Amino acid sequence: MSRTTATVAASLPDQWEELVTTALLGTDRRTPPGVAPGPQAPSALLDAAAAATVRRRAGLRPARPAERLRPALEDPRPPLPPAAARRLAALLADRPGASGGRRGAAPDLMELLPQWLQAANARGYAPPPQALPALLDAARGRTDLRPAALRFAGPRALWLARLNPDWRFALRAAPGGGPSAPDLRDLGGIRRLWQEGLFAERVTLLTALRSRDAAAARALLEETWATERAEDRLMFLDSLRAGLGPDDETFLERALADRSRNVRATAAELLSALPASALAARMAVRAAACVAMDRTQDVPTVVVEAPHECDAAMERDGVVAKAPAGRGERSWWLGQLVEAAPLGTWPGRLGGRTPEEIVALPVADGWQGELHGAWCRAAVRQQDAEWSRALLGEPSAPEAGGPGAVSLAERARLLATLDAGERAAWVAGFIETHGLSEAFQLLGVCAVPWAPPLGRAVVDALNIARDAGSYPWSFSGVMGLAERCLDPSEASRLDALLAIPDEPEDAAPGAGSYWSEAFQRLVTTLRLRGAMLAELAPEEPAP
């Protein structure tokens, strides 16, 4: 480079800064070098800026070419049928609020997307490539969609996610999504990622490995357990819920001595879900010392003597000493002991009775709510269907809370321990007795599509509410569930409900029109769901 060229090149930044300053101040206050003030100054400034821009670009040194992108992995799954591909595009194009508020009789397409994804995944289809950006955007906005959306999106979505920061969640959520994530059969790669990966990658790896080889996942965690941060230990420990078994007991017993109270509590909870564990046995001894039979009464009665202290051994086994605001300490400790004790403790302790007979026994001194509530939590934790049935009681019982459950939320958790058919039959009986106002939480745990008895019970209850002139807005949550969960074949039974009913004198103004509109939306949505499933099943793809 000659001295003149070097001087010009060195002066270019200074000239550019001078022109920028002139533009900011305005040509009436400052003009470019060599230009007199006047009407020609703005044009002269623009000309000078254009010339300086050309000089700057001409003086740039060529950069190294970027590495060529590797092509995305091929997706071996069969493509969607054309009608299903068009349906997917319509579902992804629907956005909340696009209708300006009230939807009227129009279905909520975004609420149908989860079911569509589930059906498409069950049939093993691959998405159209042009749908992937909208699919990733939908999964970004709704975390509940992510597992099904990423499974359907396949390897091309992960390829796209590495190019767009907005979609990086896909790399964290999908096993094998990160650029360095190994195949689960690659032991060296697994160990390297576990030692060097980001926290989210390590959680994903541990979860995926746990589902494949529970012992290998636990061994990997044990290697670095002592050096992990407390909040990370808690998340890693929580991954052991999948595939929890007796082989995990030794590791979990050591975790009872952890520095973090939350880690200790989680380890104790997991151990209490293993009825044969040493912790469960210790809790059984403590709980049995607090609950006994009083046979001196005319009617056998359960008596409770809650703990008078929470000693260090109890705390080590996960009992939280400090009670929440509004709770007595002794009842708080009792609930934790009974909740963690194996349910098999109680028949022998209470006269060889069955769970149903135990739950029916009177409990002295007002301890029934605390004792039954703890048994409810134990039944859920230990997934004990026999105790769940006893605590649920008959669905037609006069008390909506049941003999043992302290709330409808507790009943919903108990129902989740039963098989799908039994669950649906129980909720149908509950609706027939108590109506829909108490049943919303219970409906949420029933398998989709609802079994015929449950579907009929819901439709009949809605029809009764409609004929009574009830406020339709009070049933909007149930209507929304029905749109997603009723079997599409129920649509033909609902045609008779589409007309605007005669409104009783004490009915809410306009209720008839709203009911007709709600049933119209329900019927339209059911038929749309039926069409969706038919579009996905014109032929069976190869597995």
Side-chain angles (χ1 to χ4, degrees):
M1 183 184 292
S2 67
R3 180 178 299 177
T4 303
T5 304
T7 303
V8 171
S11 66
L12 286 178
D14 295 337
Q15 290 180 6
W16 182 256
E17 293 298 330
E18 177 72 20
L19 292 173
V20 171
T21 302
T22 300
L24 291 173
L25 293 174
T27 53
D28 55 340
R29 298 175 60 189
R30 184 169 181 169
T31 60
V35 177
Q40 302 300 320
S43 298
L45 174 61
L46 294 176
D47 290 343
T53 298
V54 172
R55 288 197 299 271
R56 294 176 79 209
R57 290 178 177 173
L60 287 176
R61 293 183 179 180
R64 282 177 172 269
E67 183 180 351
R68 178 177 294 180
L69 287 174
R70 295 180 181 178
L73 296 175
E74 289 296 324
D75 194 332
R77 297 173 295 176
L80 277 174
R86 290 192 294 272
R87 180 74 65 188
L88 174 62
L91 295 176
L92 291 172
D94 193 62
R95 288 289 181 269
S99 59
R102 178 178 163 191
R103 281 188 170 267
D108 187 346
L109 299 185
M110 276 299 288
E111 288 304 316
L112 298 180
L113 183 58
Q115 287 188 27
W116 189 97
L117 289 170
Q118 182 182 15
N121 284 331
R123 289 169 172 80
Y125 285 121
Q130 65 272 20
L132 290 175
L135 186 61
L136 286 168
D137 282 339
R140 179 192 177 203
R142 285 182 54 177
T143 55
D144 62 308
L145 279 179
R146 289 183 184 177
L150 293 178
R151 179 184 168 193
F152 176 64
R156 289 174 176 167
L158 300 181
W159 183 86
L160 285 174
R162 296 186 187 108
L163 306 176
N164 185 344
D166 290 344
W167 299 333
R168 290 295 173 88
F169 70 87
L171 302 180
R172 299 189 296 269
S180 59
D183 187 285
L184 292 180
R185 295 165 295 185
D186 178 7
L187 298 181
I190 287 175
R191 188 172 301 279
R192 183 166 55 253
L193 180 59
W194 181 251
Q195 297 287 346
E196 302 173 3
L198 300 174
F199 172 69
E201 293 174 323
R202 299 176 74 208
V203 170
T204 300
L205 172 66
L206 190 65
T207 303
L209 185 59
R210 181 73 178 178
S211 65
R212 182 77 62 84
D213 188 340
R218 185 184 63 251
L220 197 67
L221 181 57
E222 286 183 287
E223 287 182 7
T224 60
W225 179 257
T227 61
E228 304 288 356
R229 300 183 305 166
E231 56 268 32
D232 294 353
R233 292 199 303 276
L234 181 62
M235 290 293 292
F236 293 145
L237 193 63
D238 201 59
S239 69
L240 299 187
R241 294 181 190 277
L244 183 67
D247 291 343
D248 298 315
E249 182 180 358
T250 302
F251 173 67
L252 292 172
E253 274 284 345
R254 290 200 299 271
L256 290 175
D258 196 87
R259 301 184 300 275
S260 165
R261 185 182 70 181
N262 290 333
V263 171
R264 294 196 302 271
T266 300
E269 180 188 346
L270 293 173
L271 283 168
S272 67
L274 298 172
S277 68
L279 179 136
R282 295 193 296 269
M283 288 298 196
V285 171
R286 293 174 181 132
C290 299
V291 181
M293 287 291 299
D294 181 359
R295 295 180 174 83
T296 64
Q297 306 287 336
D298 293 337
V299 177
T301 302
V302 177
V303 292
V304 174
E305 180 67 25
H308 290 272
E309 64 173 344
C310 180
D311 57 32
M314 288 169 60
E315 288 196 64
R316 182 187 180 276
D317 283 346
V319 177
V320 179
K322 185 174 177 57
R327 287 288 302 274
E329 283 187 332
R330 295 181 65 199
S331 64
W332 171 244
W333 300 332
L334 173 74
Q336 294 179 80
L337 295 181
V338 175
E339 176 182 354
L343 288 164
T345 303
W346 303 112
R349 178 64 174 164
L350 301 176
R353 291 173 170 84
T354 65
E356 187 175 359
E357 293 169 336
I358 290 172
V359 170
L361 289 170
V363 182
D365 302 324
W367 283 103
Q368 178 171 319
E370 189 66 53
L371 182 61
H372 284 194
W375 279 337
C376 285
R377 297 190 295 275
V380 173
R381 182 181 295 187
Q382 297 170 36
Q383 292 293 289
D384 192 307
E386 185 180 9
W387 271 88
S388 292
R389 292 187 195 99
L391 291 160
L392 282 165
E394 291 298 323
S396 57
E399 307 86 3
V406 295
S407 67
L408 286 169
E410 199 84 58
R411 275 192 151 182
R413 288 190 283 272
L414 290 169
L415 280 168
T417 67
L418 307 180
D419 65 65
E422 187 178 0
R423 208 180 311 163
W426 196 96
V427 177
F430 182 92
I431 291 171
E432 290 170 1
T433 302
H434 302 286
L436 287 171
S437 58
E438 302 281 351
F440 183 77
Q441 286 179 296
L442 307 181
L443 287 169
V445 300
C446 293
V448 177
W450 289 336
L454 178 57
R456 287 192 295 270
V458 171
V459 172
D460 291 345
L462 287 171
N463 192 19
I464 291 170
R466 165 185 175 267
D467 291 343
S470 302
Y471 282 96
W473 311 280
S474 303
F475 296 89
S476 58
V478 175
M479 274 291 191
L481 275 178
E483 290 174 18
R484 299 189 295 274
C485 302
L486 266 177
D487 193 300
S489 63
E490 295 285 334
S492 58
R493 288 204 324 118
L494 297 170
D495 285 336
L497 304 178
L498 300 182
I500 299 177
D502 296 330
E503 295 183 6
E505 293 183 2
D506 58 346
S513 298
Y514 271 88
W515 274 112
S516 176
E517 185 179 271
F519 276 115
Q520 180 66 60
R521 183 172 59 248
L522 175 57
V523 170
T524 305
T525 303
L526 291 179
R527 289 188 170 136
L528 179 58
R529 284 175 51 212
M532 281 171 27
L533 297 176
E535 291 162 356
L536 283 166
E539 58 182 350
E540 291 296 329

